[in-house]
Amino acid sequence: MIIIGERINGMFKDIARAINDRDPGPVHEWAKKQEYNGAHYLDINVGPSSTEPVEAMKWLVEVTQEASDLPLALDSTKYDAIEAGLKLCKQPAMINSVPAEMPKMERVFAMAAEHGAEVIGLAMNEEGIPKDADMRVGLAAELVATADAFGIAPDMLYIDPLVLPCNVAQDHGPEVMRTLREIKMISDPAPKTTVGLSNISQGTKNRELINRTFAVMAMANGLDSAIADACDDELMAAVASARIILDMDIYCDSFVEVFKQRNR
Amino acid sequence: MAVEIFKEKYRGKVGEVVLGATKDDGGTRSHTITVGGETALPFLHFEGEIPNRPVVALEVWDMVPEWNPCLEQYYGDVYNDPGAWAKKCVDEYGADLIQVRLKGADPDLNDHSPEDCAATVKKVLEAVSVPVMVIGSGKAEKDNTIYNPIAEAAAGENLVMGVAELENYKAVTSACMANNHVVIAQSPIDINICKQLNILIAEMSPAMSSRIIIDPTVAALGYGIEYSYSIMERARNGALQGDKMLAMPMYGNAGFESWRQKEANISEEEQPGWGEQEERGILWEATTAMAYLQSGIDILVMRHPEALKVIKGNIDELMKDNSY
Amino acid sequence: MGLTGLEIYKHLPKTNCKECGSPTCLAFAMALASGKASLEDCPYVSDEAKEALDSAAAPPIKLVSVGTGDHVVKLGEETEIFRHDKRFFHPTGVAVIISDTEDVAAKAEKFDDLEFDRVGMHYVTDMVAVKCDSGDAGKFKEAVETVAGITQKAMILMTEDPGVMEGALEAVADRKPLVCAATGDNFEKMTELAKGKECPMVVKGNDINDLAELVEKVVGLGHKELVIDSGARETSQVLADLTQFRRLAVRKKFRSFGYPAFAITTKDDPKEEIVQAGVYVSKYADVVALKACEKQQLLPLLSWRQNLYTDPQKPIAVEAGLYDVGEPGDDAPVYVTTNFSLTYFIVEGEVESSRIPSRILSVDTGGVSVLTAYADNKFSAETIAEAIKKCGLEDKVNHKKLVLPGHVAVLKGTLEEESGWEVMVGPREASGITKYAKDNFAGGVK
């Protein structure tokens, strides 16, 4: 599974302060730490309260790239910020994210095509997040078909079925699992899938346990990647085990280490 | 109509390993051999690079082998002289390299001393200028005593030495590490052990990770070859998909495995339904080797000079570009 | 795998009329892809779309049969690129070529005898290709008739001249031979002949692009029992083309290559030819035609074919029973193991390298290994005792001792009771056998 490290996000106090003070220290530290622990991409988010998202994104992209060669996932609802960040990325990046809504898809897919970027597509539209799997899959298919019209191959897309906390929307769980399975029937090659892993455990007790249980269940249903805490060792070990059980990696006794060290 | 050619997109590559060393690098070989480096499945030049052709070795023993009598006419005159034997393999039969099997070190056979073994290897190195591989008697306890003297005596030559096994890899690996030789990592037809052993060797010294040759333990035609075939295909696919701990060149002894089997040896008188013995043996060996090549082998060890010739011809054909 | 949502969507009207019950055509396509709806629910789908969707759902490679009765050879319907992903299904047809300019009867007799028994299996060289080198229609027809009179095996008729093909095909049409071959120059006439006699036909291009075009033309003429040949003859190019056929058919459902593939050797030296044919058997040829016709040449090739087409998910068994290693006397040791082939061969190799002539009793465990069989009760005191009786071990040795794998040492007591034989506990792994034998049996069993 592809791990998109979640930690460089203005939602976290240390990163918010770093952005505000233009202090590269914490950003460098988290970039290196997540890479060391096996992240494959680094998510970059200036945070909800940023007053100058474009400038902040540009700074964050440059500073992160000083510490790590991993590809970046530019995470913002402000497409100007994403576009400014894309121009600075040293290697093809990921855009996080676009819903299945028309003017937004046009804007995002056009810039993705221009920069060779991958795109996280959200299975939601103006009407919000559908409850049942059929509607979610329908929206995913629209994302794939629209991307196709922009010359973007389906496997450049990561569809996020959208996960709600399990304590408030328990009935969504099975629908998310079914959505993950059926997304693979949209096209050949199929689009990839992703989730914001920690959403499942918002407001619950024992969040790490719920996160990693959800991760391995979702993998069994076809999940390809997650925006997650790469520094959660138990999570990474569970993911490494699931990859073995699903025959995605060839087993050896040191399978956890091998999974985490793949980028080193 | 232009067909849209199907090419796999791989992100991995098989590592390249150099065998032997010339004077410039502290050895005495006239040339080195590089194996590995593939970025495509065997001989699919259209989808990637096959920078180095698979190479073919012949085997030299330090004692008279009990081989099929049909091999006497080729080797009978040199069975007693490893140097002359090696020279004949290279000069007359066209071996790319020599594998010395120190069978005579076996305590139950000739119990050659570590010094005898090192002397045999030296003799072969003096007789030929191609890179040399050396493997022990197969008795781990004894073999662990011969690796160091050999590795030291041939320091600088960049030998290929083996075999390291999961239960017994440290002695041979240390000998290789200290004297800059390449190690053969052998696993018993088991891809999981294959990978783990590579990890353990690389843990001893990261530099060794680019000096490992995988011996997946090959089986002969008719005797489980399909297991080896699939394991080699899986290992090579793993390597190309980025599994670095499987991304080493592979090695297998088609000659040894084939000539253990009834189909190579039994006379036509005893088994009239199977046809003439020598040609049958040659083809049992060559067909075994052909299958290894199709599943990704980089170093083949052969026995019958005719089988070697046929297989080298097959490799020539397969190395021709087939890109579209 | 069935069709994907987008593939289906391409054939739908894209009007979003909602009459099918889905909110959009795309949603309906997804419902079809996951099997929750039927095409019948769409009132506006065209007949062309229906046919396109039907044919796309067909197996990626067509099954084509050559020959009749017990000698029919089934080709194609493969679904895998690698045997370890599932298995290969229909073994490559191996055809021996007989030229109409050689002694046809003699070679046909020899061909018909190319059958082998080894390790409890029967291998058959299953096809014969009669080739017109004379350019003479009468001579070719005579050769074809001669071969047909000598062997019942599936036939291939090789000439690119429809005038020469016609008479020969007429003579043996009821044997359903493979007509070989239609080319860019002759395909209209050749297709008419093959289709008229309902015989399968090889379509041969100048390269893979040309072949794809030619296949479409032949299919357009209404013949679909086809075998494809890119026309390449260099080993390396043939390997590439055969790989493209298989990948494009299986992964991309490219219909023009959705047929069994034909390969022919070019080497004159029989040893080189067998190895060349081996490459094609390994990588995706469904028929290989070659000239070699000696037993010692075909046995290795057919053995490889047999090995490659085994089911990797199914354990391979050796015949249960008593095996000799070397020339064992009546004081030779007896080792007990299962009939899982890999286990058996490893044990056999180790026993052999002990250089002490011995016997191995291979117990029928349904082809599974020692520990699996033990857990399943297939390798138990009862089954081993029964195997001892069945093979008449008592009459073959002058002692009553046998060596049991160390992993099942726990069976010692019950097996001794059950069989009356003394049980020696051997090493846990086969790799320990050589030493064990030296330590215990250096002077025979005492």
Side-chain angles (χ1 to χ4, degrees):
Chain A
M1 183 155 78
I2 298 161
I3 301 290
I4 305 167
E6 68 184 6
R7 195 54 180 68
I8 303 179
N9 189 321
M11 210 171 66
F12 294 101
K13 280 196 191 120
D14 56 346
I15 300 293
R17 201 177 308 122
I19 295 171
N20 198 43
D21 304 344
R22 293 295 190 260
D23 168 15
V27 180
H28 285 174
E29 186 194 330
W30 281 111
K32 285 185 194 143
K33 214 160 153 179
Q34 294 183 97
E35 178 172 355
Y36 184 81
N37 279 283
H40 304 87
Y41 287 75
L42 297 177
D43 193 71
I44 301 294
N45 187 325
V46 300
S49 56
S50 177
T51 52
E52 24 109 58
V54 174
E55 289 312 307
M57 179 65 88
K58 283 161 77 176
W59 180 78
L60 212 44
V61 166
E62 289 196 314
V63 169
T64 305
Q65 293 188 125
E66 288 165 10
S68 170
D69 292 329
L70 290 182
L72 306 181
L74 306 181
D75 183 358
S76 178
T77 50
K78 313 241 174 11
Y79 297 138
D80 290 342
I82 289 183
E83 186 145 37
L86 280 178
K87 287 181 181 148
L88 297 174
C89 286
K90 290 182 190 158
Q91 52 179 317
M94 188 186 281
I95 297 172
N96 183 6
S97 58
V98 64
E101 294 169 28
M102 218 14 156
K104 291 181 181 174
M105 285 197 283
E106 282 171 337
R107 168 96 202 259
V108 168
F109 289 142
M111 66 175 150
E114 186 188 338
H115 294 279
E118 296 171 309
V119 180
I120 295 179
L122 309 176
M124 64 179 286
N125 59 11
E126 296 86 341
E127 290 158 34
I129 301 175
K131 198 216 119 188
D132 81 329
D134 292 341
M135 291 292 287
R136 280 178 158 112
V137 174
L139 293 174
E142 274 178 40
L143 284 157
V144 175
T146 311
D148 187 57
F150 282 84
I152 297 170
D155 54 357
M156 291 291 279
L157 284 188
Y158 287 73
I159 304 292
D160 183 345
L162 293 170
V163 175
L164 296 175
C166 64
N167 59 345
V168 295
Q170 255 183 294
D171 53 346
H172 276 242
E175 298 296 326
V176 166
M177 295 299 159
R178 189 151 72 81
T179 306
L180 287 170
R181 289 198 297 277
E182 292 186 6
I183 282 173
K184 293 297 176 192
M185 297 176 193
I186 292 176
S187 56
D188 179 22
K192 296 189 177 114
T193 51
T194 193
V195 295
L197 190 65
S198 57
N199 291 349
I200 192 73
S201 64
Q202 290 280 357
T204 63
K205 295 277 180 208
N206 210 343
R207 292 195 63 179
E208 284 80 7
L209 174 63
I210 291 175
N211 289 347
R212 65 177 179 265
T213 305
F214 175 63
V216 297
M217 289 176 71
M219 285 174 76
N221 284 283
L223 181 68
D224 298 298
S225 85
I227 302 163
D229 179 4
C231 300
D232 178 346
D233 283 339
E234 299 265 353
L235 169 67
M236 297 300 270
V239 168
S241 315
R243 286 187 62 86
I244 296 292
I245 291 163
L246 293 169
D247 196 22
M248 300 165 88
D249 285 327
I250 291 172
Y251 174 83
C252 66
D253 292 346
S254 310
F255 67 94
V256 175
E257 283 312 298
V258 169
F259 176 70
K260 288 169 77 173
Q261 288 172 6
R262 188 164 309 181
N263 293 328
R264 273 182 233 163
Chain B
M1 178 162 57
V3 171
E4 200 180 322
I5 297 300
F6 189 118
K7 296 180 192 179
E8 292 286 356
K9 289 177 220 137
Y10 297 117
R11 56 199 181 94
K13 176 186 172 178
V14 179
E16 286 193 332
V17 177
V18 177
L19 319 177
T22 60
K23 212 165 141 197
D24 294 343
D25 295 311
T28 59
R29 306 299 85 203
S30 62
H31 61 282
T32 60
I33 289 175
T34 305
V35 290
E38 298 92 337
T39 58
L41 289 176
F43 310 109
L44 301 187
H45 306 278
F46 63 79
E47 75 181 358
E49 298 292 316
I50 319 278
N52 304 299
R53 55 176 278 149
V55 291
V56 189
L58 286 174
E59 204 168 64
V60 170
W61 288 28
D62 63 343
M63 58 178 274
V64 179
E66 285 180 15
W67 288 356
N68 186 285
C70 76
L71 288 150
E72 283 242 9
Q73 56 179 306
Y74 307 98
Y75 300 116
D77 56 334
V78 290
Y79 273 156
N80 281 308
D81 182 346
W85 186 347
K87 198 165 160 39
K88 195 167 189 189
C89 288
V90 175
D91 295 350
E92 286 185 38
Y93 303 139
D96 297 319
L97 65 170
I98 293 296
Q99 167 159 297
V100 181
R101 181 187 291 267
L102 296 165
K103 189 76 180 165
D106 186 331
D108 298 326
L109 299 173
N110 296 355
D111 200 17
H112 288 158
S113 71
E115 295 71 33
D116 294 340
C117 294
T120 302
V121 172
K122 281 301 258 185
K123 215 185 270 174
V124 171
L125 284 165
E126 278 158 23
V128 297
S129 65
V130 298
V132 171
M133 304 190 283
V134 180
I135 60 168
S137 66
K139 298 286 168 68
E141 215 169 297
K142 173 66 180 286
D143 288 348
N144 285 344
T145 67
I146 68 172
Y147 294 131
N148 243 327
I150 295 168
E152 281 168 15
E157 293 285 9
N158 196 14
L159 297 178
V160 182
M161 292 185 64
V163 295
E165 296 172 277
L166 190 64
E167 305 301 327
N168 184 44
Y169 66 94
K170 288 186 176 153
V172 64
T173 306
S174 311
C176 290
M177 265 163 64
N179 299 282
N180 283 325
H181 299 301
V182 172
V183 70
I184 298 175
Q186 186 185 70
S187 41
I189 318 195
D190 184 325
I191 195 163
N192 309 129
I193 293 176
C194 169
K195 188 169 165 181
Q196 185 68 17
L197 180 57
N198 293 339
I199 291 169
L200 293 171
I201 292 172
E203 272 174 8
M204 278 181 76
S205 147
M208 281 308 288
S209 59
S210 57
R211 308 178 69 84
I212 297 173
I213 302 286
I214 291 175
D215 175 1
T217 305
V218 289
L221 177 62
Y223 294 87
I225 192 173
E226 66 274 24
Y227 295 92
S228 319
Y229 187 82
S230 287
I231 279 184
M232 286 195 275
E233 279 201 321
R234 286 180 65 201
R236 186 49 52 89
N237 269 305
L240 295 176
Q241 281 156 19
D243 192 332
K244 290 184 190 133
M245 283 304 142
L246 288 170
M248 290 82 173
M250 295 189 286
Y251 151 102
N253 196 329
F256 182 83
E257 293 300 329
S258 316
W259 287 94
R260 289 200 311 156
Q261 311 307 341
K262 187 174 169 188
E263 285 77 358
N265 290 299
I266 198 165
S267 70
E268 191 173 3
E269 291 69 47
E270 285 176 87
Q271 193 80 34
W274 288 0
E276 195 263 330
Q277 177 266 328
E278 183 170 2
E279 187 176 17
R280 178 174 6 100
I282 293 167
L283 280 172
W284 206 258
E285 180 181 0
T287 304
T288 299
M290 173 282 299
Y292 297 168
L293 285 168
Q294 287 303 319
S295 50
I297 208 143
D298 299 278
I299 305 174
L300 272 171
V301 186
M302 304 291 290
R303 180 167 296 175
H304 198 295
E306 266 302 304
L308 171 128
K309 197 177 120 204
V310 169
I311 269 309
K312 283 191 85 166
N314 186 237
I315 294 171
D316 288 342
E317 294 283 342
L318 290 164
M319 283 306 288
K320 288 183 189 162
D321 189 19
N322 57 22
S323 36
Y324 290 95
Chain C
M1 171 173 166
L3 285 174
T4 66
L6 285 196
E7 283 162 341
I8 297 169
Y9 178 62
K10 280 182 199 143
H11 295 285
L12 297 180
K14 305 189 187 71
T15 50
N16 296 339
C17 72
K18 302 189 174 60
E19 286 180 43
C20 61
S22 291
T24 62
C25 289
L26 194 49
F28 178 58
M30 286 312 302
L32 282 175
S34 56
K36 289 194 287 259
S38 140
L39 200 54
E40 311 302 314
D41 299 336
C42 175
Y44 304 108
V45 69
S46 69
D47 288 345
E48 292 85 58
K50 265 187 201 157
E51 201 194 305
L53 290 170
D54 279 351
S55 86
I61 297 175
K62 194 174 159 53
L63 185 72
V64 173
S65 297
V66 182
T68 48
D70 292 345
H71 301 279
V72 69
V73 178
K74 291 188 170 167
L75 309 170
E77 214 165 71
E78 298 296 338
T79 58
E80 304 305 317
I81 312 285
F82 300 107
R83 66 183 287 281
H84 61 252
D85 283 336
K86 192 169 188 183
R87 65 168 300 184
F88 296 156
F89 291 93
H90 295 106
T92 313
V94 173
V96 171
I97 301 169
I98 301 177
S99 167
D100 67 350
T101 55
E102 62 187 320
D103 183 344
V104 174
K107 194 162 180 187
E109 299 274 5
K110 210 164 167 179
F111 155 79
D112 202 45
D113 195 32
L114 288 173
E115 299 195 10
F116 306 92
D117 290 300
R118 83 166 273 278
V119 292
M121 282 175 287
H122 189 68
Y123 300 166
V124 179
T125 312
D126 41 9
M127 302 182 94
V128 58
V130 188
K131 182 164 180 267
C132 177
D133 287 322
S134 65
D136 178 337
K139 199 158 181 192
F140 183 55
K141 182 173 178 233
E142 194 190 316
V144 166
E145 283 174 327
T146 304
V147 172
I150 290 170
T151 178
Q152 291 301 307
K153 286 172 185 143
M155 295 177 77
I156 305 178
L157 309 185
M158 296 180 76
T159 172
E160 292 175 12
D161 182 342
V164 173
M165 182 67 79
E166 191 166 8
L169 180 59
E170 184 72 41
V172 295
D174 60 336
R175 294 274 297 267
K176 279 224 181 262
L178 177 60
V179 171
C180 180
T183 66
D185 294 331
N186 72 15
F187 75 92
E188 283 164 323
K189 184 77 185 121
M190 205 61 102
T191 305
E192 192 188 318
L193 285 175
K195 194 182 159 212
K197 297 291 179 196
E198 294 179 355
C199 287
M201 178 176 78
V202 175
V203 180
K204 178 185 154 197
N206 293 322
D207 59 37
I208 65 168
N209 297 317
D210 180 54
L211 173 66
E213 216 165 287
L214 194 55
V215 168
E216 276 194 17
K217 287 183 192 159
V218 170
V219 171
L221 293 174
H223 197 31
K224 289 182 179 169
E225 297 298 308
L226 307 179
V227 172
I228 54 176
D229 173 6
S230 72
R233 293 295 178 260
E234 292 243 3
T235 313
S236 174
Q237 193 60 53
V238 175
L239 171 68
D241 290 355
L242 290 170
T243 303
Q244 288 301 327
F245 292 167
R246 178 66 61 89
R247 286 184 179 179
L248 286 166
V250 168
R251 296 268 174 83
K252 295 288 168 196
K253 299 193 197 89
F254 184 65
R255 304 314 307 183
S256 298
F257 292 165
Y259 301 93
F262 177 86
I264 183 166
T265 58
T266 53
K267 298 289 172 191
D268 291 322
D269 174 79
K271 293 194 276 294
E272 292 176 18
E273 197 189 17
I274 292 296
V275 169
Q276 188 185 28
V279 172
Y280 303 157
V281 168
S282 310
K283 296 291 167 73
Y284 315 132
D286 298 279
V287 184
V288 173
L290 76 173
K291 301 176 289 288
C293 193
E294 297 292 338
K295 285 178 180 293
Q296 67 270 20
Q297 296 159 356
L298 270 300
L299 177 64
L301 186 65
L302 298 189
S303 301
W304 173 231
R305 174 180 72 174
Q306 193 280 330
N307 290 170
L308 186 71
Y309 278 83
T310 51
D311 183 350
Q313 260 90 56
K314 223 162 99 187
I316 317 294
V318 295
E319 219 175 333
L322 195 62
Y323 289 84
D324 290 353
V325 181
E327 286 167 18
D330 53 10
D331 65 340
V334 179
Y335 298 87
V336 180
T337 189
T338 75
N339 74 331
F340 173 40
S341 67
L342 200 53
T343 305
Y344 175 79
F345 291 138
I346 290 171
V347 169
E348 186 196 43
E350 294 297 330
V351 170
E352 187 191 308
S353 70
S354 77
R355 301 154 68 93
I356 296 171
S358 308
R359 291 187 174 82
I360 303 176
L361 176 58
S362 164
V363 178
D364 185 357
T365 57
V368 301
S369 65
V370 170
L371 283 175
T372 317
Y374 168 69
D376 245 9
N377 233 5
K378 286 179 190 151
F379 196 58
S380 63
E382 290 78 24
T383 57
I384 298 170
E386 198 188 303
I388 293 170
K389 272 200 205 110
K390 207 171 149 196
C391 73
L393 189 57
E394 210 154 327
D395 304 331
K396 296 194 171 131
V397 291
N398 63 8
H399 59 82
K400 286 198 93 174
K401 287 184 183 177
L402 39 90
V403 183
L404 193 67
H407 274 300
V408 291
V410 57
L411 290 177
K412 179 177 158 74
T414 42
L415 178 56
E416 288 184 337
E417 264 172 48
E418 191 81 29
S419 66
W421 284 62
E422 182 187 332
V423 172
M424 300 172 69
V425 175
R428 294 167 75 87
E429 300 295 339
S431 55
I433 290 177
T434 312
K435 185 174 184 310
Y436 180 85
K438 292 267 153 71
D439 294 348
N440 290 281
F441 304 127
V445 178
K446 287 175 199 94

